[in-house]
Amino acid sequence: RGVTKRFGGLVAVDDLSFHIDEGEILGLMGPNGAGKTTAFNLIMGDYKPDAGDIFFKGENIGNLKTYERVKLGIARTYQVPRPYHDLPVVEDIRISTVPDSIGRCLRGQGKGVKEVWDIGEGVGLKDRLGKYPYELSLGDLRRVELAKAVATNPKLIMLDEIFAGLTVHEITEISKLLQEKREEGQVFIVVSHDLKALAPLIDRAVVIQFGHLIAEGTYEQVAYNEKVRKAYFGM
């Protein structure tokens, strides 16, 4: 609510307000450089806002550290996948489940290999869990990112350019997966500069330009909004 973030003289996020409802897939849209990833970094606590508040399930989380926000149930993926290159996929995912204290580790409170394997299968990595990142396609690396987020038992997952660089087939597969997860109760914010990829997926869209909200509504409402068309196409 009313969040602003400056980097010197650059206003990356400008008095931005939006919300997401239970059981919703929200599209956070805008052209390159609009401030979408910065908004994610603010929600996760990577950056501290210069003004405004961030609420999660009614709690102001603005002063919480990133790991505390993860504990509350917020997770994210990254625009550029961040795998552990010297580990197989199943171990990469399992690291996301390791408890944050030595005591909990010794008590075995992290997820076991079987549970992690099930998470990997759930995002479509069944035959690739024993492989290493260099053996995977970009689409599969994005699935690994999603599995690592799911492994933290989040209430909200923020997906940063989940479709970037993927084939039409891969986009269709991941869209179907996200819709299945939503039916299971998962909530998503999906960042993308690709309007068409979000069309069949999202319930509602928020569009920003230069960090400022310029449109909000259904996909059809924002896709034909004059300000949105001008931001994307200069029309």
Side-chain angles (χ1 to χ4, degrees):
R1 184 171 62 193
V3 170
T4 296
K5 180 61 182 177
R6 300 181 182 88
F7 297 100
L10 172 67
V11 182
V13 172
D14 183 13
D15 192 27
L16 180 63
S17 298
F18 67 84
H19 73 281
I20 182 167
D21 295 320
E22 293 278 358
E24 186 174 42
I25 297 180
L26 176 72
L28 178 57
M29 301 159 61
N32 288 330
K36 305 183 296 294
T37 297
T38 300
F40 269 19
N41 290 336
L42 288 162
I43 294 170
M44 285 305 305
D46 297 324
Y47 299 150
K48 184 175 178 61
D50 296 306
D53 297 296
I54 300 170
F55 295 89
F56 183 65
K57 298 181 76 69
E59 178 181 350
N60 191 329
I61 62 173
N63 291 322
L64 297 184
K65 299 182 186 302
T66 296
Y67 76 88
E68 294 173 320
R69 301 181 196 209
V70 173
K71 278 186 171 183
L72 285 179
I74 306 174
R76 69 168 295 179
T77 67
Y78 290 89
Q79 183 172 350
V80 178
R82 300 181 175 188
Y84 291 98
H85 293 284
D86 56 347
L87 293 177
V89 168
V90 66
E91 289 301 316
D92 194 346
I93 298 170
R94 193 173 71 86
I95 286 175
S96 298
T97 75
V98 173
D100 61 353
S101 75
I102 294 175
R104 292 180 63 201
C105 285
L106 293 175
R107 291 193 294 272
Q109 293 184 10
K111 289 182 171 60
V113 173
K114 175 63 169 63
E115 193 172 359
V116 173
W117 200 274
D118 289 342
I119 291 170
E121 289 188 349
V123 300
L125 289 168
K126 180 177 181 179
D127 300 324
R128 278 89 81 198
L129 287 165
K131 293 183 177 293
Y132 286 79
Y134 65 85
E135 299 178 279
L136 303 182
S137 67
L138 178 58
D140 283 340
L141 288 173
R142 295 204 185 282
R143 290 175 188 269
V144 174
E145 282 282 303
L146 179 58
K148 289 158 70 174
V150 170
T152 65
N153 297 321
K155 300 177 178 68
L156 167 67
I157 300 179
M158 304 189 298
L159 305 173
D160 194 351
E161 296 291 359
I162 191 74
F163 302 125
L166 303 189
T167 65
V168 172
H169 178 68
E170 287 172 328
I171 290 173
T172 300
E173 284 192 330
I174 290 181
S175 292
K176 181 180 178 182
L177 173 62
L178 298 183
Q179 289 167 336
E180 291 172 353
K181 292 293 182 184
R182 187 260 300 277
E183 291 173 3
E184 296 171 4
Q186 188 66 66
V187 180
F188 293 98
I189 303 177
V190 186
V191 154
S192 180
H193 68 274
D194 187 336
L195 290 171
K196 290 184 179 179
L198 289 182
L201 178 64
I202 61 175
D203 302 298
R204 187 166 51 88
V206 169
V207 187
I208 63 177
Q209 183 183 26
F210 304 124
H212 187 73
L213 180 71
I214 61 172
E216 183 175 2
T218 65
Y219 174 83
E220 289 76 15
Q221 288 171 333
V222 301
Y224 294 99
N225 181 285
E226 182 178 347
K227 291 182 179 179
V228 175
R229 294 177 68 85
K230 185 175 181 179
Y232 273 89
F233 310 115
M235 299 171 61

